[in-house]
Amino acid sequence: MNTTLPRACALVAVAILLAACGSLPGRSSGKTVSTAGPTPDLVGTYDNHEQVWQAGPAATPRVRIEVVPLSRAGWYGWTTRFEGSGTLMSTLVLRVDTSGEVVTMVPHRGAGTLLGKAFDPAQWTALDACALRGRAQPGMLRVDADATACASIAAGLGAEAALLPLSIEREGDWLRTRLYADQARGAEARSEARRVVAFRGWAAVNGAGRQATADNTDWHMSRDLRLDNEGGRVALAWRDGKPSGYSLLLERLTYRESGTDMLKLSVVEDASGAVVVYAWADPTSSRIGVNLGWVQVGLERAAAAEARR
């Protein structure tokens, strides 16, 4: 997929970063976070594949965000992958303080520090100038940072500043995020990412390819496949491990003309990028598959598949 942003946008983003000035704050104290209110339901992986599909990769960068709970209550890992004129990745941690419906999220940065059980808040630097504040209700969250205040420390962060969240809105399966770099694309620019659902399954390709006859039993199996519903892609291989020349693509898409929301499974020819065959299913379906004679595929939601193991 071509995910190139217009050069003008990339240059403006760099200009914003270089224009900012200021010094970084000190380390986090690691104090216990108040959680008097409900903890916002952020945990999950989110991807804006459909937004890119609708607008085109030249207009909208591909953004994937993973939010994981940490070993300290009220702390979350926040990892962003941004594919525009290049690829940027950044891992921050968010300290979430709630009191009733009022929420404050303070991003922290670290250099080579660990998450998981080894997580230590004292090893992360609090970016108080970029704190996000707002409200949370069951199933809904909206917090915003002061972009001007955040710009005062952005220059000291280098390229990592581009992926600082300036606005986070979560509703249902959607996570709408405005990053620092999005300012170069206009006042309303933001990523509209949806919670990722993983699928597992198998595929079989006949060794004779599209010319396979009904009595040809030269099947090459790919087992334990795993891909997600937001543009997940996996290559199919021959039994010796070499590429078969075909891949699977799984997407959740909404067609503007009809407003139809569908889960689409495609078999793609790698050399041309052409879709050889595809199948539709309701986006809430637990299974989806393809049977074209020479290629057969069966996928199931990962949670359901793993429950039977």
Side-chain angles (χ1 to χ4, degrees):
M1 177 180 292
N2 178 14
T3 54
T4 304
L5 279 174
R7 290 185 176 273
C9 290
L11 292 174
V12 175
V14 172
I16 292 175
L17 297 179
L18 295 179
C21 61
S23 59
L24 295 178
R27 297 290 184 185
S28 170
S29 66
K31 293 181 179 179
T32 302
V33 179
S34 169
T35 54
T39 301
D41 179 19
L42 284 173
V43 175
T45 301
Y46 305 84
D47 195 296
N48 73 331
H49 172 75
E50 180 172 342
Q51 183 186 28
V52 176
W53 175 77
Q54 293 277 11
T60 304
R62 180 82 179 268
V63 176
R64 193 175 183 92
I65 296 173
E66 182 180 7
V67 187
V68 298
L70 301 179
S71 56
R72 297 287 190 97
W75 293 81
Y76 297 84
W78 176 282
T79 299
T80 305
R81 179 182 176 87
F82 182 99
E83 297 178 8
S85 56
T87 298
L88 290 175
M89 287 194 67
S90 171
T91 295
L92 304 168
V93 298
L94 298 179
R95 190 193 73 211
V96 181
D97 187 349
T98 62
S99 179
E101 294 183 355
V102 178
V103 179
T104 301
M105 296 183 175
V106 180
H108 292 59
R109 73 188 297 250
T113 51
L114 299 175
L115 302 180
K117 293 182 179 180
F119 171 65
D120 179 4
Q123 295 179 359
W124 293 79
T125 301
L127 306 178
D128 294 300
C130 299
L132 301 105
R133 297 177 175 84
R135 308 187 76 82
Q137 297 175 339
M140 184 178 296
L141 165 74
R142 174 64 188 265
V143 291
D144 298 281
D146 184 329
T148 301
C150 192
S152 68
I153 65 168
L157 303 179
E160 187 179 18
L163 303 187
L164 279 169
L166 294 181
S167 175
I168 300 173
E169 181 180 350
R170 200 197 69 77
E171 182 176 6
D173 288 335
W174 291 98
L175 183 71
R176 300 178 176 91
T177 308
R178 180 169 169 81
L179 302 175
Y180 195 88
D182 288 330
Q183 296 175 103
R185 296 191 297 122
E188 302 301 320
R190 68 195 66 240
S191 66
E192 298 191 6
R194 187 164 42 208
R195 192 188 297 270
V196 166
V197 176
F199 280 72
R200 297 186 64 168
W202 58 271
V205 182
N206 195 284
R210 300 190 205 185
Q211 287 71 44
T213 57
D215 59 349
N216 191 319
T217 59
D218 182 25
W219 291 102
H220 298 245
M221 296 292 299
S222 295
R223 296 181 173 85
D224 295 325
L225 297 178
R226 189 180 182 96
L227 62 166
D228 66 62
N229 67 339
E230 296 294 338
R233 186 164 182 155
V234 62
L236 301 180
W238 300 125
R239 66 173 63 92
D240 61 4
K242 294 181 179 179
S244 69
Y246 299 94
S247 296
L248 300 180
L249 175 63
L250 189 62
E251 309 168 278
R252 183 172 174 180
L253 304 173
T254 304
Y255 282 82
R256 292 176 177 174
E257 295 79 5
S258 62
T260 306
D261 186 8
M262 289 288 189
L263 182 65
K264 181 183 180 183
L265 171 63
S266 303
V267 177
V268 180
E269 184 179 56
D270 296 335
S272 65
V275 174
V276 177
V277 63
Y278 61 86
W280 297 105
D282 186 276
T284 61
S285 296
S286 60
R287 292 184 176 89
I288 188 169
V290 165
N291 186 346
L292 196 61
W294 65 273
V295 59
Q296 301 174 27
V297 184
L299 300 177
E300 184 177 18
R301 283 185 182 242
E306 292 163 359
R308 292 198 309 275
R309 287 176 175 259

